[in-house]
Amino acid sequence: MQWLLFATALFIAFSNGANDNFKGFATVWGSNTLSYRRALALATLATALGSLLSLLLADGLVQQFSGKGLVPDNLASAPEFILSVSCGAGLTVFIATRLGLPVSTTHALIGGLIGAGIGHSPALVNFDKLLNTFLLPLLLSPLLAGLIGVCSLPLLQLLRGTVQLAPASGPSAALGESEQGGTPAFSWLSQLHIASAMAICFARGVNDTPKLAALMIAAQLVSAQQSIGLIAATMALGGWLFAHKVAKTMSQKVSQMDQGQGVRANLITAALVLFASKFGLPVSTTHVAIGSIAGVGASAGTLNWPTLRNVLLSW
């Protein structure tokens, strides 16, 4: 049973990496700032760094996603319960990834926790904690991200009056190829765009790793430090091998963005996810990122409503 629990916990981490690792760089690839492979390499690095530091920055999430408080402690640490949660969440995220749908591992884990609890005994599930601690942050965070994305347009227009944010020729001109040696010639906006994308991936690593590590810690498989390291490595591998379909959906199908819009969306996402992680609020990086991209795209008139509808239905 111990080895089976170990394998399923790593499987959900692998699926999480495949679905989530690239999301911070969706606007970077979508605006032709970097190639897919370069963007993926930086996304993987930033996610791994966030994962390794999550034990210091987001220890509250480890406790929440162990299931304790949501179901009785003895049930939350039972091997059969943890196995049920891991299998349900892992399969859901992996199937969505193969279909190119950007879904929330956070939602999948909560669904697994609730489903396994109800399967054991509906009376044991603390639905008040489910509503106040989990559902409210998950429901409100994408709406808040979208609202900030829409409202940030006047600020950007104000900045345009004093700072040249991007070359007048369009988003692809913000990053050109140097005539000498083919070295990328980054504008300061390109650098800010990439830095904001790395901040999102870092924030996602901080926010998601404790949720996955909790599955191992609750079963007393490994120490917290060992669990974090294993989750970080497995997430990185899943993203490197299977991120492309979800990356294409978020980068090219939700909204066409230029560099200025991409920076706005990324900074909103990173700020909200890091804030939530610090205070132990279990938000979904996927939902916040989609909300930010949709809000910025709506304010610019470039939002692809049919694609957004399909993404929302997948949630």
Side-chain angles (χ1 to χ4, degrees), residues 38-63:
R38 288 183 178 180
L40 179 60
L42 290 176
T44 302
L45 174 63
T47 300
L49 291 174
S51 295
L52 294 175
L53 288 175
S54 64
L55 194 60
L56 297 176
L57 299 177
D59 57 322
L61 289 175
V62 174
Q63 297 302 319

PDB file of all heavy atoms in Angstrom, residues 38-63:
ATOM      1  N   ARG A  38      12.117  27.768 -25.371  1.00  0.00           N
ATOM      2  CA  ARG A  38      12.761  28.694 -24.434  1.00  0.00           C
ATOM      3  C   ARG A  38      11.815  29.064 -23.304  1.00  0.00           C
ATOM      4  O   ARG A  38      12.211  29.136 -22.132  1.00  0.00           O
ATOM      5  CB  ARG A  38      13.219  29.949 -25.173  1.00  0.00           C
ATOM      6  CG  ARG A  38      14.415  29.730 -26.089  1.00  0.00           C
ATOM      7  CD  ARG A  38      14.846  31.037 -26.733  1.00  0.00           C
ATOM      8  NE  ARG A  38      16.014  30.840 -27.582  1.00  0.00           N
ATOM      9  CZ  ARG A  38      16.608  31.816 -28.266  1.00  0.00           C
ATOM     10  NH1 ARG A  38      16.117  33.049 -28.210  1.00  0.00           N
ATOM     11  NH2 ARG A  38      17.668  31.560 -29.009  1.00  0.00           N
ATOM     12  N   ALA A  39      10.569  29.316 -23.657  1.00  0.00           N
ATOM     13  CA  ALA A  39       9.577  29.656 -22.635  1.00  0.00           C
ATOM     14  C   ALA A  39       9.380  28.496 -21.667  1.00  0.00           C
ATOM     15  O   ALA A  39       9.289  28.691 -20.444  1.00  0.00           O
ATOM     16  CB  ALA A  39       8.255  30.038 -23.295  1.00  0.00           C
ATOM     17  N   LEU A  40       9.328  27.284 -22.194  1.00  0.00           N
ATOM     18  CA  LEU A  40       9.130  26.104 -21.351  1.00  0.00           C
ATOM     19  C   LEU A  40      10.300  25.899 -20.403  1.00  0.00           C
ATOM     20  O   LEU A  40      10.111  25.545 -19.233  1.00  0.00           O
ATOM     21  CB  LEU A  40       8.935  24.865 -22.227  1.00  0.00           C
ATOM     22  CG  LEU A  40       8.729  23.537 -21.489  1.00  0.00           C
ATOM     23  CD1 LEU A  40       7.488  23.603 -20.602  1.00  0.00           C
ATOM     24  CD2 LEU A  40       8.615  22.389 -22.493  1.00  0.00           C
ATOM     25  N   ALA A  41      11.516  26.128 -20.880  1.00  0.00           N
ATOM     26  CA  ALA A  41      12.696  25.955 -20.022  1.00  0.00           C
ATOM     27  C   ALA A  41      12.661  26.925 -18.846  1.00  0.00           C
ATOM     28  O   ALA A  41      12.916  26.541 -17.688  1.00  0.00           O
ATOM     29  CB  ALA A  41      13.968  26.157 -20.844  1.00  0.00           C
ATOM     30  N   LEU A  42      12.334  28.186 -19.114  1.00  0.00           N
ATOM     31  CA  LEU A  42      12.276  29.176 -18.042  1.00  0.00           C
ATOM     32  C   LEU A  42      11.101  28.896 -17.097  1.00  0.00           C
ATOM     33  O   LEU A  42      11.208  29.081 -15.880  1.00  0.00           O
ATOM     34  CB  LEU A  42      12.156  30.581 -18.632  1.00  0.00           C
ATOM     35  CG  LEU A  42      13.401  31.109 -19.344  1.00  0.00           C
ATOM     36  CD1 LEU A  42      13.123  32.463 -19.975  1.00  0.00           C
ATOM     37  CD2 LEU A  42      14.586  31.202 -18.379  1.00  0.00           C
ATOM     38  N   ALA A  43       9.985  28.448 -17.665  1.00  0.00           N
ATOM     39  CA  ALA A  43       8.825  28.107 -16.836  1.00  0.00           C
ATOM     40  C   ALA A  43       9.167  26.963 -15.885  1.00  0.00           C
ATOM     41  O   ALA A  43       8.793  26.980 -14.702  1.00  0.00           O
ATOM     42  CB  ALA A  43       7.642  27.731 -17.722  1.00  0.00           C
ATOM     43  N   THR A  44       9.865  25.962 -16.397  1.00  0.00           N
ATOM     44  CA  THR A  44      10.250  24.813 -15.579  1.00  0.00           C
ATOM     45  C   THR A  44      11.187  25.236 -14.455  1.00  0.00           C
ATOM     46  O   THR A  44      11.036  24.811 -13.297  1.00  0.00           O
ATOM     47  CB  THR A  44      10.927  23.753 -16.454  1.00  0.00           C
ATOM     48  OG1 THR A  44      10.029  23.353 -17.494  1.00  0.00           O
ATOM     49  CG2 THR A  44      11.313  22.526 -15.632  1.00  0.00           C
ATOM     50  N   LEU A  45      12.165  26.084 -14.777  1.00  0.00           N
ATOM     51  CA  LEU A  45      13.119  26.556 -13.770  1.00  0.00           C
ATOM     52  C   LEU A  45      12.416  27.339 -12.674  1.00  0.00           C
ATOM     53  O   LEU A  45      12.636  27.099 -11.474  1.00  0.00           O
ATOM     54  CB  LEU A  45      14.184  27.423 -14.445  1.00  0.00           C
ATOM     55  CG  LEU A  45      15.180  28.123 -13.506  1.00  0.00           C
ATOM     56  CD1 LEU A  45      15.997  27.096 -12.726  1.00  0.00           C
ATOM     57  CD2 LEU A  45      16.097  29.057 -14.288  1.00  0.00           C
ATOM     58  N   ALA A  46      11.558  28.282 -13.052  1.00  0.00           N
ATOM     59  CA  ALA A  46      10.878  29.114 -12.062  1.00  0.00           C
ATOM     60  C   ALA A  46       9.937  28.291 -11.187  1.00  0.00           C
ATOM     61  O   ALA A  46       9.839  28.521  -9.972  1.00  0.00           O
ATOM     62  CB  ALA A  46      10.105  30.232 -12.763  1.00  0.00           C
ATOM     63  N   THR A  47       9.243  27.322 -11.790  1.00  0.00           N
ATOM     64  CA  THR A  47       8.344  26.465 -11.020  1.00  0.00           C
ATOM     65  C   THR A  47       9.113  25.642  -9.999  1.00  0.00           C
ATOM     66  O   THR A  47       8.691  25.501  -8.842  1.00  0.00           O
ATOM     67  CB  THR A  47       7.565  25.533 -11.956  1.00  0.00           C
ATOM     68  OG1 THR A  47       6.802  26.308 -12.881  1.00  0.00           O
ATOM     69  CG2 THR A  47       6.615  24.640 -11.171  1.00  0.00           C
ATOM     70  N   ALA A  48      10.258  25.097 -10.423  1.00  0.00           N
ATOM     71  CA  ALA A  48      11.070  24.292  -9.515  1.00  0.00           C
ATOM     72  C   ALA A  48      11.574  25.116  -8.342  1.00  0.00           C
ATOM     73  O   ALA A  48      11.567  24.661  -7.189  1.00  0.00           O
ATOM     74  CB  ALA A  48      12.242  23.681 -10.276  1.00  0.00           C
ATOM     75  N   LEU A  49      11.988  26.354  -8.599  1.00  0.00           N
ATOM     76  CA  LEU A  49      12.438  27.223  -7.513  1.00  0.00           C
ATOM     77  C   LEU A  49      11.309  27.514  -6.532  1.00  0.00           C
ATOM     78  O   LEU A  49      11.496  27.478  -5.304  1.00  0.00           O
ATOM     79  CB  LEU A  49      12.992  28.526  -8.088  1.00  0.00           C
ATOM     80  CG  LEU A  49      14.320  28.426  -8.858  1.00  0.00           C
ATOM     81  CD1 LEU A  49      14.672  29.775  -9.484  1.00  0.00           C
ATOM     82  CD2 LEU A  49      15.439  27.948  -7.937  1.00  0.00           C
ATOM     83  N   GLY A  50      10.122  27.803  -7.062  1.00  0.00           N
ATOM     84  CA  GLY A  50       8.976  28.039  -6.193  1.00  0.00           C
ATOM     85  C   GLY A  50       8.621  26.816  -5.368  1.00  0.00           C
ATOM     86  O   GLY A  50       8.287  26.921  -4.183  1.00  0.00           O
ATOM     87  N   SER A  51       8.723  25.649  -5.996  1.00  0.00           N
ATOM     88  CA  SER A  51       8.422  24.407  -5.282  1.00  0.00           C
ATOM     89  C   SER A  51       9.363  24.197  -4.106  1.00  0.00           C
ATOM     90  O   SER A  51       8.939  23.847  -2.996  1.00  0.00           O
ATOM     91  CB  SER A  51       8.520  23.222  -6.244  1.00  0.00           C
ATOM     92  OG  SER A  51       7.546  23.295  -7.255  1.00  0.00           O
ATOM     93  N   LEU A  52      10.651  24.416  -4.351  1.00  0.00           N
ATOM     94  CA  LEU A  52      11.645  24.169  -3.306  1.00  0.00           C
ATOM     95  C   LEU A  52      11.525  25.154  -2.146  1.00  0.00           C
ATOM     96  O   LEU A  52      11.846  24.817  -1.004  1.00  0.00           O
ATOM     97  CB  LEU A  52      13.046  24.229  -3.905  1.00  0.00           C
ATOM     98  CG  LEU A  52      13.362  23.120  -4.922  1.00  0.00           C
ATOM     99  CD1 LEU A  52      14.733  23.332  -5.547  1.00  0.00           C
ATOM    100  CD2 LEU A  52      13.284  21.742  -4.271  1.00  0.00           C
ATOM    101  N   LEU A  53      11.039  26.358  -2.422  1.00  0.00           N
ATOM    102  CA  LEU A  53      10.889  27.349  -1.367  1.00  0.00           C
ATOM    103  C   LEU A  53       9.508  27.332  -0.715  1.00  0.00           C
ATOM    104  O   LEU A  53       9.265  28.066   0.234  1.00  0.00           O
ATOM    105  CB  LEU A  53      11.157  28.756  -1.933  1.00  0.00           C
ATOM    106  CG  LEU A  53      12.617  29.075  -2.276  1.00  0.00           C
ATOM    107  CD1 LEU A  53      12.719  30.442  -2.924  1.00  0.00           C
ATOM    108  CD2 LEU A  53      13.502  29.009  -1.026  1.00  0.00           C
ATOM    109  N   SER A  54       8.625  26.476  -1.211  1.00  0.00           N
ATOM    110  CA  SER A  54       7.245  26.484  -0.718  1.00  0.00           C
ATOM    111  C   SER A  54       7.141  26.078   0.747  1.00  0.00           C
ATOM    112  O   SER A  54       6.212  26.501   1.447  1.00  0.00           O
ATOM    113  CB  SER A  54       6.376  25.555  -1.571  1.00  0.00           C
ATOM    114  OG  SER A  54       6.812  24.206  -1.459  1.00  0.00           O
ATOM    115  N   LEU A  55       8.063  25.273   1.209  1.00  0.00           N
ATOM    116  CA  LEU A  55       7.989  24.835   2.603  1.00  0.00           C
ATOM    117  C   LEU A  55       8.142  26.011   3.558  1.00  0.00           C
ATOM    118  O   LEU A  55       7.556  26.026   4.637  1.00  0.00           O
ATOM    119  CB  LEU A  55       9.078  23.791   2.879  1.00  0.00           C
ATOM    120  CG  LEU A  55       8.950  22.994   4.175  1.00  0.00           C
ATOM    121  CD1 LEU A  55       7.640  22.215   4.175  1.00  0.00           C
ATOM    122  CD2 LEU A  55      10.126  22.067   4.352  1.00  0.00           C
ATOM    123  N   LEU A  56       8.910  27.024   3.142  1.00  0.00           N
ATOM    124  CA  LEU A  56       9.106  28.209   3.967  1.00  0.00           C
ATOM    125  C   LEU A  56       7.990  29.225   3.787  1.00  0.00           C
ATOM    126  O   LEU A  56       7.619  29.928   4.729  1.00  0.00           O
ATOM    127  CB  LEU A  56      10.450  28.873   3.635  1.00  0.00           C
ATOM    128  CG  LEU A  56      11.706  28.053   3.912  1.00  0.00           C
ATOM    129  CD1 LEU A  56      12.937  28.823   3.430  1.00  0.00           C
ATOM    130  CD2 LEU A  56      11.834  27.724   5.390  1.00  0.00           C
ATOM    131  N   LEU A  57       7.454  29.314   2.552  1.00  0.00           N
ATOM    132  CA  LEU A  57       6.525  30.390   2.224  1.00  0.00           C
ATOM    133  C   LEU A  57       5.052  30.011   2.349  1.00  0.00           C
ATOM    134  O   LEU A  57       4.202  30.887   2.417  1.00  0.00           O
ATOM    135  CB  LEU A  57       6.788  30.880   0.791  1.00  0.00           C
ATOM    136  CG  LEU A  57       8.180  31.464   0.533  1.00  0.00           C
ATOM    137  CD1 LEU A  57       8.322  31.847  -0.930  1.00  0.00           C
ATOM    138  CD2 LEU A  57       8.441  32.667   1.417  1.00  0.00           C
ATOM    139  N   ALA A  58       4.743  28.708   2.325  1.00  0.00           N
ATOM    140  CA  ALA A  58       3.329  28.319   2.268  1.00  0.00           C
ATOM    141  C   ALA A  58       3.043  27.070   3.101  1.00  0.00           C
ATOM    142  O   ALA A  58       2.319  26.186   2.679  1.00  0.00           O
ATOM    143  CB  ALA A  58       2.922  28.073   0.812  1.00  0.00           C
ATOM    144  N   ASP A  59       3.611  27.017   4.307  1.00  0.00           N
ATOM    145  CA  ASP A  59       3.403  25.827   5.119  1.00  0.00           C
ATOM    146  C   ASP A  59       1.946  25.659   5.532  1.00  0.00           C
ATOM    147  O   ASP A  59       1.488  24.562   5.825  1.00  0.00           O
ATOM    148  CB  ASP A  59       4.289  25.869   6.367  1.00  0.00           C
ATOM    149  CG  ASP A  59       4.060  27.121   7.204  1.00  0.00           C
ATOM    150  OD1 ASP A  59       3.850  28.191   6.606  1.00  0.00           O
ATOM    151  OD2 ASP A  59       4.086  27.022   8.444  1.00  0.00           O
ATOM    152  N   GLY A  60       1.168  26.767   5.538  1.00  0.00           N
ATOM    153  CA  GLY A  60      -0.244  26.663   5.894  1.00  0.00           C
ATOM    154  C   GLY A  60      -1.040  25.814   4.927  1.00  0.00           C
ATOM    155  O   GLY A  60      -1.981  25.114   5.310  1.00  0.00           O
ATOM    156  N   LEU A  61      -0.656  25.842   3.652  1.00  0.00           N
ATOM    157  CA  LEU A  61      -1.364  25.046   2.658  1.00  0.00           C
ATOM    158  C   LEU A  61      -1.129  23.557   2.842  1.00  0.00           C
ATOM    159  O   LEU A  61      -1.979  22.741   2.497  1.00  0.00           O
ATOM    160  CB  LEU A  61      -0.927  25.470   1.246  1.00  0.00           C
ATOM    161  CG  LEU A  61      -1.419  26.851   0.787  1.00  0.00           C
ATOM    162  CD1 LEU A  61      -0.814  27.196  -0.566  1.00  0.00           C
ATOM    163  CD2 LEU A  61      -2.931  26.882   0.711  1.00  0.00           C
ATOM    164  N   VAL A  62       0.035  23.185   3.353  1.00  0.00           N
ATOM    165  CA  VAL A  62       0.296  21.769   3.607  1.00  0.00           C
ATOM    166  C   VAL A  62      -0.730  21.232   4.592  1.00  0.00           C
ATOM    167  O   VAL A  62      -1.282  20.138   4.421  1.00  0.00           O
ATOM    168  CB  VAL A  62       1.729  21.570   4.156  1.00  0.00           C
ATOM    169  CG1 VAL A  62       1.936  20.122   4.562  1.00  0.00           C
ATOM    170  CG2 VAL A  62       2.758  21.973   3.101  1.00  0.00           C
ATOM    171  N   GLN A  63      -1.000  21.995   5.631  1.00  0.00           N
ATOM    172  CA  GLN A  63      -1.960  21.541   6.631  1.00  0.00           C
ATOM    173  C   GLN A  63      -3.371  21.475   6.067  1.00  0.00           C
ATOM    174  O   GLN A  63      -4.111  20.522   6.322  1.00  0.00           O
ATOM    175  CB  GLN A  63      -1.908  22.494   7.838  1.00  0.00           C
ATOM    176  CG  GLN A  63      -0.565  22.513   8.544  1.00  0.00           C
ATOM    177  CD  GLN A  63      -0.147  21.145   9.038  1.00  0.00           C
ATOM    178  OE1 GLN A  63      -0.959  20.382   9.560  1.00  0.00           O
ATOM    179  NE2 GLN A  63       1.123  20.814   8.865  1.00  0.00           N
TER     180      GLN A  63
END
